[in-house]
Amino acid sequence: MQWRQIGPFRGGRALAIEGVVGEPDTYYFGAVAGGVWKTIDGGANWIPLFDKEPISSIGAIAVASSDHNVIYAGTGEAAIRGNTTYGTGVFKSVDGGKTWENVGLKDTHQIGALIVDPRNENVVLVAALGHAFGSNQERGIFRTTDGGKTWTKVLWKDENTGGIDVVFDPHNPNIVFASLWQARRQPWFFSSGGPGSGLYRSEDNGVTWKHLEGNGLPEGILGRIGIAVSGADCNRLYAIIEAKEGGLYRSDDAGQHWTRVNDDGRFRQRAWYFSKVYADPKSPDTVYLVNTGLFRSVDGGKTFNLLPARHGDHHGLWIDPTNPNRIGNVNDGGASITTDGGKSWTTQNNQPTAQFYHVAVDNAFPYHIYGAQQDNSNVGIASRTDWGAIGRQDWFEAAGGECGFVVPDPRDWHIIYSNNEAEITRYDKSKGERQDVSVWPLDNSGHGAADLVHRFQWVTPLMLSPHNPDVIYTAGESVFKSTDHGQSWTQISGDLTRNDKSKQQPSGGPLTKDITSVEYYDTVFALAESPVKQGTLWAGTDDGLVQLTTDDGQHWSNVTPRMPEWSTVDLIDPSPHDGNTAYVAVDRHKLDDFKPYIFKTTDLGKSWSSIVRGIPDGAYVHAVREDPKRKGLLYAGTELGVFVTFDDGAHWQPLQLNLPQSPIHDLVVKDDDLIVATHGRSFWILDDVTPLRQVNAQSAQPDVILYQPQTALRLHSPDEVDKRQPVGDNPPSGAIIDYYFKTAPKEEVSLEILDASGKVVRHLSSKEKKEGEQPPEWPDRVERAKTIPANEGMNRFAWDLRYDDPIQIPGAFYSGSGPKGPLAPPGDYQVKLTVGSKSQTAPLHLAIDPRTKGQEAGLQKQFTLTMQMNDRISQLHQAVNEIRDLRSQIQNLHKRFGDDQRLKPALSAADDLDHKMSEVEQKLIQVNMKGSEANLAFPDMLNERFDTFSHVIEYSDKEPTKPQLDVFQMLSSQLEDQLKKWAQLKNEDLPKVSEMIKQANLPALIITQPKKSE
């Protein structure tokens, strides 16, 4: 079993980027929850390097100038917005990012900057912000001189203040500047600035520090500070400072005196989120600021021009110290690169680092996956396509924003509801029509929660009733219901929260107010209706309450489980099997508590039990879902990946498999697929979880298990797929067959497909069989899997739904993929797994493509024709193989006995036979076909025509047309003529020649028996 990457390939938020001097096409960037990525082609393609590491958030990255194979990554972003995740210290690679090692500072959680001494790759300084949601000791500026084996805290203020920036003087690495930042985020508040913040200078490579204050620097409380030293002039410094008199400051004497040169509000807004400055390495007057836009000044910071960089909300730059036109940029849309000083930039639509909050699916075929991408729009994306991969053309924006829910109407997927904070939108995709259907359509930006009529937060719940999709529910401090598609709303509850006004005050701290609905508190955070009992609604609040109504809101009861106060009820999943059972995922990481919490009730909240055994600390839980087909099979989405339990929560275990490390904010089961919304690596699907439904957690594992396969769909698979582009993966083509070996079998393993009558229609083996296949020409050609895996543990193989191939001609060339066995018709089959002398069987049902229902009779006629084609092609190929084998025997006789004059009559007779055989052969196959397009110079003969015609017949799921039947009869008749000629040669000429050869005491000529291709 393997997770499958869906996409979309649309970049998510990133803070760190670093290029490599002297390697103009090589860059690294770190996503805030998607790991480290590398490009070696200037940003055309990005390769993930961090998928196997235990953490995904990257706050800083640096490549050692003295050894480009040495890379350091500081984990845990320091732009501590509401959805920030944490890190576990510094990771180091000594092989260009192939492998990584954690080298300490594990409790720093958020790292703002990291620099490597250009003279020595073992000397590193780290600006560690520390815990975003609480106080801790491991924060400040740290230094190592042994490559991370040991660290020294060289600059420290207190347990509430940490490091946010650190830079070398490019001319003298002994001169270092750093800034400390006092900041704290809570569920209901964010504060930037305090007495701990400040700017510092070191003259001994960061061993000791001097606090810089006065001399033109702003007075009073400071907030976040970003620093840059000009590579053109070591005396020129820039600092972007959050303060009452904040803005861009400049020093022309290495930091002794400062002048504010710019107080433009565009550069001071949201100072906690931006506040980064970068100096050009060649021009002292050229400086860059990042904010909502990317800005450049060429007059020492007095005036700035906006650059046409990708996306918006910019966080980081890297400027090549030898070529200032070469710049890497990271922002809320990912990473991009310019080589012309910012005039043009590479795409960000090649990075699957999207952060999704929730996930939903529709009932289309193929079904679509929906979610809201942070810092972008919402998305609907196909789960599979007919062309073989999932590209940009296969996803669309569903007329909504970056947060909240996206909910398609189960009856018509073109009707899509979504929300973005308080705003609710009804989108008719078929018309392109977008309608606001909000409960209270008023923009509350900048207002504290206490002032609002209704408190709708960042990821406000939104759902359609599973019993009546005309009914919509949403919630602020109360629950609201609409029965007319959002035209009107009814409040069906009072305030279900604690309504603590002290936690509803304006956010931002002492310097810069920053009020978004992220900090709106005392709200209903989770809302769900029982799919078993209509009107049974569960509501969970971000201040730690669980409320229940069994009469659609007429009466509510507080049924909160015993848990720590002020917890966030992240998601509630009412059981699809039992109306009294529900599961609750509780999250306390914003209170600096990273433990997992899941609660279960089987009596409508009268009693609760904790069910987290097996989920480690640090994996705080965002979502829990029960499998709709197997009671007690649960899936959990956590900050550290996916977990599964087969015994209703008594024991959990990882279900990570090949899924990259990234927070899982939601998951959903669609038919037999498990879909996850990662918060840093886009959408992924675990195809076909039917084996998980068959696992018995209590019994001992047998030596061999053949699992009951899911119903397979008779779909067509492309012969070529261009995956050399940013695309998601299709599911395996065909019928998925899962089996388990306690130990890897030593003997051959076979897998056979039997039709309803018990006849073997496909035989497959674990023993690889070498075939004389056509040499490759087309790099996008899909290679058919013909050898089954036989490894210890779980094995998965996808039968391509084809019967056994016809006999093949070794080394033959075709314009396409060549002859294949017929595509199996819909119906009932059996799968037979054999190891040694022991076999297991399981039924397999093959269903027609849902889009072509009603075509079963026509498909059966098509199958009859393709079977006839298969037989005729086998006959043709056998004749060619016989001819070529005989020719090989004749040629061998010449090689061995050609100089013997006594044997000339026999050899001459053999040559005459060869000449007659060649005349037949040249009608059967184009003997000059030595490339896939050689038929443009040498006309198709019967073999090439049969091949192309066999593919034409299977293009659609339709009854064969009369012209198709006529062509088959024509080709079949032509083939029959040649086969008769060959039979005559075999029956009359060959015995005569063989007798002459026999009389000359030479090896007899023989006809080989037919061999079926497997």
Side-chain angles (χ1 to χ4, degrees), residues 71 183 203 239 250 257 260 270 288 298 375 417 528 605 652 687 710 741 789 826 892:
I71 308 165
E203 296 181 357
R250 191 178 86 194
H257 302 88
R260 182 166 71 168
R270 307 204 80 191
Y288 295 82
V298 294
D375 301 307
Y417 295 89
W652 291 88
D687 294 296
Q710 68 175 163
F741 297 124
N892 191 46

Side-chain angles (χ1 to χ4, degrees), residues 616-628:
D617 286 357
Y620 49 89
V621 183
H622 296 287
V624 60
R625 303 282 189 187
E626 185 175 23
D627 189 280

Side-chain angles (χ1 to χ4, degrees), residues 585-599:
V586 173
D587 176 9
R588 289 179 48 80
H589 84 276
K590 291 186 181 180
L591 298 167
D592 212 36
D593 178 356
F594 295 84
K595 296 185 180 70
Y597 295 91
I598 304 175
F599 298 94

Side-chain angles (χ1 to χ4, degrees), residues 10-11 218 242 321 355 381 430 562 607 634 756 785 790 822 905 940 1009:
R10 181 170 71 169
E242 181 186 11
Q355 294 181 282
I381 186 169
S430 61
R562 183 176 296 178
S607 61
L634 310 179
D940 287 345
Q1009 295 300 310

Side-chain angles (χ1 to χ4, degrees), residues 592-619:
D592 212 36
D593 178 356
F594 295 84
K595 296 185 180 70
Y597 295 91
I598 304 175
F599 298 94
K600 168 191 168 186
T601 180
T602 57
D603 54 13
L604 290 174
K606 294 177 184 176
S607 61
W608 295 88
S609 57
S610 172
I611 52 167
V612 293
R613 182 179 178 185
I615 302 178
D617 286 357

Side-chain angles (χ1 to χ4, degrees), residues 704-709 733-741 745 747-755 759-767 769 785-790 795-804 829-836 838-844 1013-1014:
V704 181
I705 303 173
L706 173 62
Y707 292 97
Q708 165 73 55
S733 296
I736 296 177
I737 300 168
D738 291 287
Y739 45 97
Y740 167 87
F741 297 124
E747 56 268 77
E748 181 178 359
V749 179
S750 69
L751 191 66
E752 293 176 315
I753 310 298
L754 292 73
D755 65 13
K759 178 183 177 183
V760 175
V761 299
R762 186 71 183 272
H763 176 85
L764 296 150
S765 169
S766 62
K767 187 177 180 181
K769 293 177 174 60
K786 296 183 179 180
T787 305
I788 66 171
N795 292 265
R796 170 165 284 187
F797 180 80
W799 168 44
D800 63 5
L801 306 183
R802 293 198 173 272
Y803 279 39
D804 279 328
Y829 296 83
Q830 279 193 317
V831 178
K832 183 179 180 180
L833 179 71
T834 302
V835 184
K838 296 182 179 179
S839 298
Q840 296 184 25
T841 60
L844 168 65
S1013 174
E1014 294 181 355

Side-chain angles (χ1 to χ4, degrees), residues 453-470:
V453 175
H454 296 297
R455 299 189 297 275
F456 293 103
Q457 42 87 13
W458 190 251
V459 281
T460 293
L462 179 70
M463 68 175 185
L464 304 183
S465 169
H467 304 280
N468 179 5
D470 289 323

Side-chain angles (χ1 to χ4, degrees), residues 73-182:
T75 63
E77 63 158 318
I80 49 174
R81 53 176 302 129
N83 65 325
T84 192
T85 184
Y86 68 97
T88 54
V90 177
F91 284 73
K92 178 183 179 181
S93 173
V94 295
D95 53 15
K98 295 176 184 177
T99 60
W100 297 85
E101 178 188 5
N102 187 305
V103 292
L105 303 183
K106 293 184 178 181
D107 197 42
T108 54
H109 273 213
Q110 324 295 151
I111 289 178
L114 183 154
I115 55 175
V116 183
D117 192 315
R119 303 165 299 188
N120 184 349
E121 65 272 14
N122 291 315
V123 177
V124 183
L125 281 92
V126 173
L129 183 61
H131 288 208
F133 304 101
S135 59
N136 75 309
Q137 295 296 312
E138 199 166 55
R139 54 171 69 212
I141 306 298
F142 293 84
R143 184 174 183 266
T144 180
T145 59
D146 53 16
K149 295 177 182 178
T150 59
W151 293 89
T152 303
K153 187 189 294 184
V154 291
L155 180 58
W156 148 268
K157 187 71 174 181
D158 57 44
E159 69 277 9
N160 298 310
T161 303
I164 190 60
D165 204 3
V166 60
V167 296
F168 287 122
D169 178 344
H171 306 269
N172 180 6
N174 288 326
I175 306 298
V176 193
F177 294 87
S179 58
L180 300 183
W181 182 32
Q182 182 174 331

